[in-house]
Amino acid sequence: MSDAVFRDNLALAQPVAPPAARKKRDSSAPTAALLLAPSLLFLALFTYAPILQALTQAFTIEKFGGKFAGYGFGNFQRLFFDAAFQKAFANTFLYGIGTVAPSLVIAVILAAALQESTRFNNLLRTIFFFPTLLPLVAAAALGSFVLMPGAGLLDYYLAQLGAAQTNWLGDPDIALYSIIGLTIWKNAGYYMLFALAGLQGIPSDIHEAAKLDGAGPITRFFRITLPLLMPTLAVIVVIALINVVTQVDHVIVLTGGGPSDSTNVLLNYIFQAAHEQHDIGRGAAATIVSVALLLALSFVSLKTLERGMHYES
Amino acid sequence: MQTTNAPSRPSAARLITIAVLSCVALVWSTPLLWMLVASVKAIPYGSLSAASLLPDGPPTSEHFVDAWIQGSFARWYLNTLIVTLGILVVQLVTIALAGYAFARMEFRGKSLLFHLFLLQLTLAAPILIVPNTMTIVKLGLYDTLAGVMAPYFASAFGVFLMRQTFKTIPRDFEEAAIIDGASLWQLIRLVLVPLARPGLVAFSIVSVTAHWNEFLWPLMVTDTPDNMVLTVGLASFVRSAQHAADWGLIAASTLLVAGPLLIAFALFQRQFVNSFLFTGVK
């Protein structure tokens, strides 16, 4: 009940008696509207309106020279029949699976191995976390050197082991995997941080009890740690999946989607359509497809976040 | 896996774990180490020895000088600072206000509005570059720093974070202040902001990191070199230097762009890690 009193007190900035429940709701509404207005203004301008705008644009048919010619599915037709788009769509899935699964496994293994807070472990945690702070463009700059055929870091040391040189970014069969490798290097340390936090939340007496029952470290990891870590892993997967769709800087800098669209992903495709080919209609249609994909993800993420909230309170 | 033995007797398994981890960490840090070494190493033009991690000869500052002369780094630093701090200042105001409303007030449609806000968490700005660029052009903000900043002035993520932060502050504090006759402004300045500091600091670190490192959106809406930010400048640099195989230059310019955040991290490591966790999990 003190909550209700206080809410009104704040709204009016002076002590008043608590009004009836229904009235109370309405009296704080103007203040709430005032507090929410700045955020809502910018959300409307740059999140809600753009979705509607992309929708209109995607269904707008233009004649040569940009003249309005009516509405229809023309842009989507051109989009779905575009081989580059099909490739980008397939690549996004491959890139998603190829980055999220290994990153998650590496993150959990590192977190489990570095769980104890010793000086040595803290140093290693820092090393694994460092790439997180690099701009993706800077990671790409490093990648351009590491992956350079022949003289690059990777080939230089592989050659000392007797391996032949590889065209890491120039071979269409390999390029996407090189990009995937770079992404894993960049993000795994970030996900490790969440896994570490998740591990800290597991009460140690469960482990003690299992130990008394004679369970070895491997058994305890798979029977206790991993199941209790599931909510954390769900959060990581959601973050990682959103990163898959929204992070593309390294692709733009390193390959521009090539060779022969082998590293083209959705956002790079949108970027090319809008920025390089100036085909706004097709770019908008591709945006709508991505928005739909992200909304499906957001549904999952909201469920996860809600669970997190309950857990907390 | 954590060790199960008494500290006095490190097992063979533990030693193997340490050895494997050290190797992995070495491989993991190699690109960064190379960047450090290459940025100060005199590499003969087009030489194949660039990949060696061992410094040969005394360190040189020529790559940094080259980078500084060939790029507009002074300008790019200034632009990046204006963009990151400009975004942050506006964000802190908008998220604190909205976060407070969601944490403390009851009003009709609250839940619906909250979910509308959360929509922005997933429909992140990069995916909306096509319509947003058109909006920026219409607003007359194309090729301006304001255009780079504008889409980020509202942050659903920040609102969510501040809502959680305000919820952890006991209402008693605010009530006591009001009973003592504090005005709304005094309440905000003396009670709410100091108590919400952990949330504000955590958000600031994550926001500055994100926008310092951002690339795609500034690339879309800026055109002239005078309005570029560091990442966009670096990308144009990498493309031209790559053809010349000028790795010293690439390493030095990469370090110029990433350096400030890496140094900040080294100095405030705990604060950084806590912020990333705080903002991710809560």
Side-chain angles (χ1 to χ4, degrees):
Chain A
M1 74 117 224
S2 65
D3 292 2
V5 181
F6 178 65
R7 235 175 271 125
D8 278 4
N9 285 353
L10 184 80
L12 305 169
Q14 55 176 310
V16 283
R22 185 170 296 259
K23 253 186 135 182
K24 171 199 76 190
R25 273 181 160 255
D26 294 339
S27 71
S28 70
T31 317
L34 209 62
L35 296 180
L36 294 174
S39 291
L40 277 174
L41 170 72
F42 292 112
L43 285 178
L45 260 177
F46 296 105
T47 303
Y48 310 138
I51 298 171
L52 298 178
Q53 201 183 340
L55 265 176
T56 332
Q57 199 74 41
F59 285 106
T60 301
I61 313 293
E62 284 179 349
K63 275 193 292 205
F64 191 73
K67 273 196 172 172
F68 176 79
Y71 295 103
F73 288 93
N75 289 320
F76 286 98
Q77 241 164 15
R78 285 193 300 132
L79 183 73
F80 292 134
F81 284 107
D82 184 2
F85 176 77
Q86 294 167 3
K87 187 85 181 154
F89 201 79
N91 281 344
T92 304
F93 271 93
L94 189 58
Y95 174 72
I97 295 165
T99 54
V100 175
S103 304
L104 194 67
V105 172
I106 292 174
V108 171
I109 290 177
L110 286 179
L114 301 173
Q115 193 181 357
E116 259 183 297
S117 186
T118 64
R119 281 196 132 182
F120 174 75
N121 284 356
N122 287 343
L123 174 72
L124 292 198
R125 284 184 203 172
T126 308
I127 288 175
F128 290 115
F129 182 70
F130 244 107
T132 300
L133 292 167
L134 283 183
L136 196 46
V137 176
L142 291 184
S144 74
F145 175 75
V146 171
L147 299 169
M148 186 176 61
L153 205 55
L154 199 54
D155 270 0
Y156 180 83
Y157 285 99
L158 283 180
Q160 293 183 349
L161 298 174
Q165 73 177 55
T166 312
N167 199 350
W168 298 103
L169 291 171
D171 184 335
D173 293 332
I174 299 177
L176 186 62
Y177 296 97
S178 302
I179 298 279
I180 286 174
L182 183 68
T183 312
I184 294 172
W185 176 75
K186 172 86 171 69
N187 289 341
Y190 180 51
Y191 307 143
M192 172 195 75
L193 214 59
F194 293 106
L196 275 169
L199 287 178
Q200 267 166 17
I202 298 175
S204 59
D205 47 352
I206 303 183
H207 273 283
E208 295 304 323
K211 223 188 289 181
L212 286 180
D213 289 343
I218 305 283
T219 315
R220 276 182 283 133
F221 177 79
F222 282 104
R223 291 291 179 79
I224 298 173
T225 310
L226 214 48
L228 288 177
L229 209 54
M230 276 307 162
T232 310
L233 298 188
V235 172
I236 298 177
V237 167
V238 169
I239 297 175
L241 282 175
I242 292 175
N243 283 346
V244 164
V245 186
T246 58
Q247 294 188 352
V248 78
D249 308 357
H250 51 333
V251 174
I252 291 174
V253 173
L254 283 178
T255 64
S260 8
D261 284 318
S262 61
T263 60
N264 207 351
V265 285
L266 276 179
L267 188 50
N268 185 63
Y269 181 88
I270 294 175
F271 169 75
Q272 283 180 335
H275 198 253
E276 287 164 13
Q277 297 145 4
H278 300 287
D279 188 344
I280 299 295
R282 191 160 46 84
T287 302
I288 293 303
V289 171
S290 306
V291 164
L293 196 66
L294 276 176
L295 279 180
L297 280 178
S298 101
F299 181 74
V300 180
S301 80
L302 271 181
K303 287 270 166 274
T304 316
L305 285 171
E306 266 167 13
R307 199 159 46 188
M309 279 187 254
H310 290 311
Y311 190 69
E312 200 182 5
S313 56
Chain B
M1 325 293 136
Q2 72 206 109
T3 169
T4 55
N5 298 293
S8 56
R9 190 172 56 86
S11 66
R14 181 69 192 154
L15 287 177
I16 291 170
T17 311
I18 288 178
V20 171
L21 277 175
S22 304
C23 289
V24 177
L26 188 68
V27 171
W28 214 263
S29 58
T30 305
L32 287 166
L33 288 177
W34 170 80
M35 177 173 71
L36 285 175
V37 172
S39 69
V40 295
K41 190 161 82 165
I43 307 169
Y45 189 77
S47 153
L48 290 185
S49 74
S52 168
L53 283 175
L54 303 173
D56 42 0
T60 168
S61 63
E62 62 168 308
H63 303 307
F64 287 97
V65 175
D66 278 356
W68 197 271
I69 292 171
Q70 289 182 34
S72 318
F73 271 95
R75 182 83 219 188
W76 296 340
Y77 267 119
L78 183 68
N79 287 347
T80 306
L81 269 176
I82 293 173
V83 166
T84 43
L85 295 182
I87 290 174
L88 179 64
V89 168
V90 178
Q91 276 180 337
L92 287 179
V93 174
T94 58
I95 66 167
L97 294 180
Y100 188 86
F102 281 124
R104 286 288 201 260
M105 297 184 169
E106 288 306 327
F107 47 91
R108 207 168 291 145
K110 180 178 170 182
S111 163
L112 176 75
L113 262 178
F114 189 62
H115 282 85
L116 257 173
F117 267 65
L118 287 186
L119 196 62
Q120 195 215 23
L121 274 184
T122 34
L123 292 182
I127 213 73
L128 297 171
I129 48 173
V130 175
N132 276 346
T133 305
M134 293 167 77
T135 306
I136 289 296
V137 172
K138 263 186 234 157
L139 291 174
L141 294 176
Y142 184 76
D143 202 24
T144 66
L145 293 182
V148 177
M149 292 187 265
Y152 297 101
F153 284 158
S155 165
F157 162 64
V159 171
F160 182 66
L161 189 72
M162 290 320 292
R163 169 181 172 271
Q164 302 299 94
T165 305
F166 283 128
K167 279 192 163 182
T168 62
I169 301 174
R171 285 170 193 261
D172 304 355
F173 289 12
E174 294 165 51
E175 283 173 52
I178 289 181
I179 288 166
D180 287 348
S183 70
L184 185 60
W185 173 239
Q186 283 173 320
L187 182 74
I188 292 170
R189 199 167 50 94
L190 300 173
V191 180
L192 291 176
V193 170
L195 287 174
R197 237 185 73 128
L200 292 169
V201 169
F203 177 78
S204 303
I205 288 179
V206 173
S207 167
V208 166
T209 306
H211 295 294
W212 186 280
N213 291 344
E214 190 173 22
F215 170 69
L216 187 62
W217 176 247
L219 178 69
M220 281 296 286
V221 291
T222 57
D223 195 30
T224 49
D226 265 2
N227 291 323
M228 284 181 181
V229 292
L230 281 167
T231 47
V232 177
L234 174 64
S236 66
F237 233 70
V238 170
R239 267 189 229 117
S240 55
Q242 217 175 340
H243 295 296
D246 199 344
W247 302 109
L249 191 68
I250 291 182
S253 50
T254 304
L255 208 52
L256 281 174
V257 174
L261 275 185
L262 296 185
I263 292 169
F265 175 71
L267 291 176
F268 306 105
Q269 198 172 337
R270 185 177 294 270
Q271 190 58 255
F272 262 83
V273 169
N274 287 345
S275 301
F276 276 95
L277 275 180
F278 188 67
T279 50
V281 174
K282 291 211 168 180

